[in-house]
Amino acid sequence: SQTIHQWPATLVQPVGSPLSLECTVEGTSNPNLYWYRQAAGRGLQLLFYSVGIGQISSEVPQNLSASRPQDRQFILSSKKLLLSDSGFYLCAWKTDRREKLFFGSGTQLSVL
Amino acid sequence: GESVGLHLPTLSVQEGDNSIINCAYSNSASDYFIWYKQESGKGPQFIIDIRSNMDKRQGQRVTVLLNKTVKHLSLQIAATQPGDSAVYFCAENPSASKIIFGSGTRLSIRP
């Protein structure tokens, strides 16, 4: 069966520090991969998605970037965090068909 | 469409009553729709989905209704229980790769 791993679960970072969140999927090949962000008490904002290695689509221009160095690995990065980057970051995967998303357990990022 | 900046609306329901959560979608090209349940501090969990060639689909205690004419989706939960307390999101799939979430509704259960 397929599983998705996302880490760390919580992260506290100072303003201006770099960020790297990692997500991996097991049990499937060529998944579509996604990063969403959720501010406290708010909805889900699509940040990036990828349909293949090295292919990244950005939905919201900001100081975040994403990379997909391997088929089942998706990384969210920032060179310098802002206070407004705080939030709950969710990684997700799906097949390349119109099917449902499967979410990871999320990373709660607090930028202080 | 996305309303990620808005506070979540709240629906308060008496335990045992039926809950109806509504969602408006924006993209006419969407032909697949999904409902998710999110508990505090966790990732969203799939509840039920529906394709545009259907107008109703039933699961265990849940029913999704789709009205393509007015771009409206609803989730009905029968005999609401305390464990149903969560935030519920609808999502639309305007393309094979992109999934867009609605603003979400917080469901609270009165004992």
Side-chain angles (χ1 to χ4, degrees):
Chain A
S1 64
Q2 301 90 359
T3 55
I4 179 168
H5 302 280
Q6 187 180 344
W7 66 93
T10 58
L11 189 60
V12 180
Q13 292 284 101
V15 170
S17 64
L19 173 73
S20 181
L21 301 181
E22 187 165 344
C23 173
T24 60
V25 179
E26 296 178 356
T28 187
S29 297
N30 304 314
N32 286 359
L33 296 172
Y34 300 79
W35 280 111
Y36 286 86
R37 177 171 62 195
Q38 186 175 31
R42 301 289 204 268
L44 290 156
Q45 181 183 36
L46 177 60
L47 300 176
F48 302 95
Y49 67 95
S50 171
V51 299
I53 296 174
Q55 300 179 59
I56 308 295
S57 296
S58 174
E59 291 295 303
V60 183
Q62 55 204 334
N63 71 320
L64 298 173
S65 62
S67 61
R68 183 170 177 173
Q70 300 180 44
D71 180 46
R72 288 169 292 174
Q73 184 185 28
F74 205 24
I75 297 172
L76 183 70
S77 303
S78 174
K79 292 181 180 178
K80 288 186 178 182
L81 283 168
L82 307 173
L83 287 173
S84 58
D85 290 324
S86 293
F88 191 48
Y89 288 81
L90 288 155
C91 181
W93 79 272
K94 64 185 276 303
T95 68
D96 61 359
R97 298 181 298 276
R98 290 178 194 255
E99 298 285 350
K100 54 187 173 282
L101 276 173
F102 296 93
F103 283 89
S105 53
T107 295
Q108 184 64 54
L109 172 66
S110 298
V111 182
L112 305 177
Chain B
E2 293 189 71
S3 303
V4 295
L6 301 178
H7 279 286
L8 300 174
T10 299
L11 175 66
S12 179
V13 175
Q14 188 78 34
E15 182 178 349
D17 287 353
N18 296 337
S19 301
I20 300 176
I21 301 171
N22 296 303
C23 177
Y25 65 94
S26 59
N27 197 317
S28 300
S30 296
D31 61 0
Y32 175 61
F33 305 88
I34 319 159
W35 279 100
Y36 286 89
K37 173 185 180 182
Q38 187 181 26
E39 296 175 329
S40 181
K42 297 183 179 180
Q45 297 292 314
F46 169 80
I47 302 173
I48 192 168
D49 56 6
I50 189 168
R51 299 194 183 274
S52 59
N53 60 350
M54 303 174 70
D55 53 20
K56 181 179 179 179
R57 190 167 187 219
Q58 289 184 290
Q60 186 177 16
R61 273 202 314 121
V62 294
T63 300
V64 55
L65 299 178
L66 174 63
N67 185 329
K68 296 180 287 293
T69 303
V70 294
K71 296 198 190 80
H72 183 267
L73 200 63
S74 68
L75 177 70
Q76 301 177 6
I77 304 173
T80 310
Q81 303 168 359
D84 295 327
S85 291
V87 176
Y88 290 82
F89 292 99
C90 66
E92 59 180 305
N93 200 173
S95 68
S97 55
K98 197 168 177 179
I99 292 188
I100 303 298
F101 282 77
S103 56
T105 297
R106 186 180 305 280
L107 178 64
S108 66
I109 313 302
R110 301 191 303 272

